[in-house]
Amino acid sequence: MLYLRHNHFKNTCVSHNITLEDFNPHLLRSTLLATKSNIMKKELIQDAELVSNYIKGNENALSILIQRHKQKIYSFIYSKVYDRDITEDVFQDTFIKVIKTLKLGKYNEEGKFLPWVMRIAHNLVIDHFRKNSRMPKFDNTGE
């Protein structure tokens, strides 16, 4: 990781002894982008590895995946349905579908676990609204 500290007395970057006159902001930007890319690749590799481990029978691997992505998935669902109970139902149904698909060996690993799960959640939200629009509304007033 790149750490640069400005020394106000010597006008240098202490960690690398680079004078500020020699400092290239484009180099720093590319270094930071490369670091971000490596972090993203590492997480994708970790997701792919966890999926593979789950398919091989490691139940804990799925728990890690759920824990890692639950906030994003839950927030996405809630942003569409605006109801906590429905959100929890759709979230649960999403991972039931994920588990079934993984167990059946129908998941095509391309390093895109989260987008795949988000698509499942999206489709289940659509299913929820379709189901509710067809169901008759009942008035519970007893009349």
Side-chain angles (χ1 to χ4, degrees):
M1 185 162 287
L2 181 64
Y3 293 101
L4 297 176
R5 285 188 327 214
H6 182 262
N7 183 331
H8 293 284
F9 299 108
K10 295 183 181 176
N11 201 28
T12 62
C13 293
V14 176
S15 298
H16 295 289
N17 282 336
I18 301 170
T19 65
L20 289 180
E21 290 78 26
D22 296 333
F23 183 70
N24 181 345
H26 299 292
L27 178 62
L28 176 61
R29 185 176 189 284
S30 65
T31 301
L32 292 174
L33 289 175
T35 301
K36 181 180 178 184
S37 176
N38 287 340
I39 290 168
M40 290 173 64
K41 285 179 185 174
K42 185 174 183 181
E43 185 163 311
L44 289 176
I45 291 168
Q46 289 175 351
D47 280 357
E49 188 174 328
L50 288 167
V51 168
S52 176
N53 289 344
Y54 177 72
I55 291 169
K56 293 174 186 172
N58 180 352
E59 299 289 325
N60 190 45
L62 183 66
S63 297
I64 294 168
L65 284 167
I66 293 170
Q67 188 66 30
R68 178 179 292 169
H69 300 298
K70 74 177 180 180
Q71 186 60 46
K72 185 174 271 192
I73 297 164
Y74 188 93
S75 296
F76 169 77
I77 297 167
Y78 186 79
S79 74
K80 307 299 177 208
V81 300
Y82 296 109
D83 182 289
R84 295 212 182 274
D85 292 333
I86 295 170
T87 299
E88 290 174 16
D89 289 345
V90 172
F91 182 87
Q92 183 175 343
D93 291 345
T94 298
F95 277 96
I96 289 171
K97 188 158 188 141
V98 166
I99 290 166
K100 286 180 180 177
T101 304
L102 292 175
K103 294 274 186 188
L104 291 172
K106 293 185 177 181
Y107 175 66
N108 181 16
E109 176 58 57
E110 296 175 3
K112 298 180 180 180
F113 177 78
L114 181 59
W116 174 65
V117 175
M118 295 290 275
R119 173 51 68 184
I120 292 170
H122 173 80
N123 290 342
L124 290 172
V125 166
I126 291 171
D127 291 347
H128 162 75
F129 284 117
R130 282 183 185 150
K131 183 179 91 176
N132 280 352
S133 68
R134 286 192 209 139
M135 293 180 65
K137 305 290 182 204
F138 295 103
D139 184 12
N140 287 340
T141 60
E143 296 176 4

